[in-house]
Structure formats: structure tokens, C-alpha cells
Amino acid sequence: MPKTGVIRMGFGIVLGAAAGIGLIFYFYKQKRKKPSQENSSRYPIVHCQQNAMYVHEHAETLQPYHQVPWMRPEPVEGGDSVPYTSLLTHEEQAEVLNRLDFVLRSLIELRHEVQELRNSLQSLAGGIIEEVRSHLEESQKVIRRRRFIYPRERSDSTGSSSIYFTASSGAGNTDDGESEGGYTTANAESDYDRESDKESDEGEDEISCETVRTGRRDSLDLVNEDEAALSLDTASEEELAQLLHQADSLHRGTDQEKREGFQLLLNNKPVYGDKQDFLWHLARAYSDLYEITEDTEERQLYACDGKEEAKMALQLGDQSAECHQWYAILCGQCSEHESIQKRIQAGHDFKKHIDEAISLKPDDHMSYYLLGRWCYQVAHLGWLERKTASALYGEPPLATVQDALQNFLKAEELNSGFSKMGRIYIAKCYKELGDNSKAAHWLTLASELPVITKEDAEGSREMEEMQAISLD
């Protein structure tokens, strides 16, 4: 055999041996992998659901307008370790979406419950504050009234009862009796019965007399208590009348006196805050501070606080012309720096309460003056304001300069010369109606009155301008 053939035969034997060894190693490796794959395939569903939810969240976040297929890895049969992907079923996708919707609804309901809890806590705190405030006000009333308690003697009901029961027990001891020797006879018993009956009758008479005396003392005590309560109420009403009289005097004074009047009423609010006359006086004091204050924010605050006081006064009764009048005034002051819509609404409330005040007190010159001011302003409303009023109330308020003049003249008739500004308005109305001679006459009458309020000072400047124009 040649040498090359021997070499080829040896090389073939080596290759065959290597192939056999490799084949044996491959089968051995496959047998080792089968148990591990069986253990790892026990929980495929849990991993599939978690991976599906994770892929679904990121698919909706990054690509909300595309349908991204949801995949899950699963091992193949035959022991191959290479995974393949498959789509989630519609049922599984619906289940995931339902769970997410449930979580979202739960969060929304939780937020609503937290909001309701917060509102209830706020209302509870407000109720506690109001209760404490009312308790403090009642305590101050009691302290204030203690100064008027009159010393008097007062019988104790327990004492009278003890007297009655003492007499009763004393009378009851006369029922039983024995003879001196311990024996009783029919005659002795009858005699004793007569004596015991007599003694019991005397005891009952004493009891009845004592009861009558006790009843008289108690009735006198009740009468004294009623008289004391009546005297307390009378003293309280007298104090309130003196307080309001002092407030009226300060209201007619200087700016400093008006501030003092406001502080006086404010200090006594815990005591008389439930009295209607006191509340409208306090509302008027707020209006005074609105007139004499320069800062816009403070003016607005005074007007709104005064409006609330007047509103509280009306809640105690709607038959007070002064309550309606000052509520109307404060409505106008409170809306002075508001929008057109709020001014129109305030004007509607103003007219309503002024009409009510006139119906309750038709001889009050101030109500007619205020109604004249309202008519004059309505007569000079602009196009935008009329459209706004039409949108709010269906039709704009109707009033003319002639209506305003009639109300101003009525106020002057009821109280001549009560206001410099009132006569200036009469002159302005006559001038706009074309009667210049009467306008000049009323300007002359207005110049005779002193300047008292800031409104009078502004009216004096208007009067000078009107006089200068008439001279030209």
C-alpha cells in the first residue's frame, strides 16, 4: 500500500472518532437541559401578564395613536431554548383596562371624599366659632345686667317644704295612744279618739295656715322676680336709647366725632347686636366712615361691612324704614368701584328698598332725595349700561329728569334747606329742562346753605361752574 493511502486512512479514522465524541456530548447536554426547562415553565402565565401590562403602559404613553401588539415570551416544545412571541388575547387586554379603570375611579372617589371631609370640617369649625361667640356675647350681657339687680329677700322652696313636712310628721304622731296603765276601755278609747280627732284637726289647721303663708311668700317672690325682670328690661332699653341718642349726636358732628360714634357702637355690639335699631345705627356709622375715608380699599371694606349689618337688621324685621334706607345707601356705596353689571344690580336693589322705605315712612325727606338721585342717574345712563340692564332684567330701568325733579322738590317740601346738594340738583334739573330762570333761583338758594359734607363741597364747585356758564 502506498504511503499516501495510509495517511488518508488514519485521518479518516480520527475524524470519525471526533464526530462520534461530539455526537455523544450533544445528546448528554440535551438530557441535562430538560429538567431545568420543566421547572422554569411552571409559572409562565404570571410573567406573561406582568410583561403585558408593562408593554401596554409604555405603548399607550409613547405611541397613543398606534396599535402596538402586546407580546409575551413562551418556551417551545422539544427543549429548544429559543423563545417566540405571541399576541395577548382581547379578553386579557380588556381585563387589564378594566383594572386600570377601577383604580382611576377609586382615586376620583377618594378625592371627592377628602373634599367633603374638608368642607365638613370647615363648617364644624364655623359652628364652633359661632357658638363660642354667642356664649361670650351672652356672658357680657349677663355681666352688664348684674349691675341692676336689686337686693331683696327670697324664701327658699326647700325650706317651705321642710316646714310642711315637719308639721305633717308632728300631726301624725297623735294617732297612736294608750292608757296610763296600758289598758284601754271602750269609753276611754272613745274619749281618746275624740281628743285625738280634736288635736288632729288643730294640727291640720296649723298645716293649712302654714301652707297658705308659704304660698303667699312664694307668690310674692314670683311677683318680685317678674318686677325685677321687667326693671332689667326697662333699664336695658333706657341704656340703649341713651346710647343711640349719643350716636345720633356724633353722627351730626365732625369727622372725628363720626369716628368716635362708630367706635362707640362697635364696642357695644356684643351687648346690643340683636337689636334692630342698634344694627341700622351701626350700618349708618359704617357709611359715615366710607364718606370720610380717603383710601379706596378701606372705603370698599367699610361699605361692604355696613351692608352686612343693614342686612342683619332687615332679617330681624322688614318693617323699619331706616333699615331699608341705609341698606339701599350701602348697596350704592359698595358697588361704586365695581363693574357695570354689579352697579346695575345694586341700582335695582337700591330702587326696591327705597320704595319700601317710602311706603313705610312717607314723610321722610331723605328717601325722596335718594329716589331723586336714582332717577337722575337712570336718566343719564349710557347705551352700554342700558343694554346691560336689559340683559339682566328684560328691560332697562325707566326714569326721566322730570321724575328726578319731582322727588327733589318733594324732599325740599318736607324739610326745606336740609341739604345744599339737594338744591343744586334741583337747579341742574331745571337747567336741563330749559328753565334757566328757575335754575338760577335755586342756585342762589343753594349758595345760602353752608358746606357740611364732601358732597356739598363738590356741589359748590359745580354750582360755581353753572353760575359762570349762565353769566357767559
Side-chain angles (χ1 to χ4, degrees), residues 28-39:
Y28 176 75
K29 186 177 179 181
Q30 292 299 322
K31 290 180 180 179
R32 291 289 301 273
K33 284 185 177 180
K34 283 184 179 181
S36 62
Q37 289 178 357
E38 290 177 359
N39 293 331

Side-chain angles (χ1 to χ4, degrees), residues 19-168:
I21 293 170
L23 205 59
I24 293 170
F25 178 76
Y26 174 75
F27 284 114
Y28 176 75
K29 186 177 179 181
Q30 292 299 322
K31 290 180 180 179
R32 291 289 301 273
K33 284 185 177 180
K34 283 184 179 181
S36 62
Q37 289 178 357
E38 290 177 359
N39 293 331
S40 63
S41 63
R42 290 179 183 176
Y43 311 101
I45 299 176
V46 176
H47 294 292
C48 293
Q49 290 179 354
Q50 293 177 352
N51 292 336
M53 292 177 66
Y54 179 79
V55 173
H56 179 61
E57 289 179 351
H58 287 275
E60 288 184 347
T61 305
L62 298 177
Q63 298 180 1
Y65 302 103
H66 299 282
Q67 297 293 331
V68 180
W70 295 0
M71 306 296 182
R72 61 179 180 183
E74 291 182 0
V76 298
E77 296 180 358
D80 192 3
S81 62
V82 179
Y84 76 97
T85 58
S86 62
L87 290 172
L88 286 176
T89 62
H90 290 290
E91 290 78 9
E92 292 174 338
Q93 295 181 13
E95 182 180 0
V96 172
L97 292 175
N98 289 334
R99 291 183 179 180
L100 291 176
D101 290 338
F102 176 77
V103 172
L104 183 59
R105 288 195 300 270
S106 300
L107 290 175
I108 293 173
E109 292 176 357
L110 180 61
R111 185 176 63 183
H112 291 167
E113 291 177 358
V114 171
Q115 185 64 31
E116 291 177 356
L117 180 60
R118 182 182 300 171
N119 294 335
S120 63
L121 288 176
Q122 290 178 354
S123 62
L124 180 61
I128 292 173
I129 292 172
E130 289 295 328
E131 185 176 356
V132 172
R133 183 181 299 169
S134 62
H135 179 70
L136 290 175
E137 292 177 358
E138 189 66 24
S139 300
Q140 291 179 357
K141 287 182 181 180
V142 171
I143 293 172
R144 188 178 183 88
R145 290 180 177 181
R146 281 178 181 173
R147 297 180 301 172
F148 300 97
I149 296 177
Y150 301 101
R152 60 182 179 84
E153 295 181 0
R154 186 171 182 266
S155 64
D156 194 355
S157 60
T158 306
S160 62
S161 299
S162 64
I163 293 171
Y164 176 77
F165 286 115
T166 301
S168 299

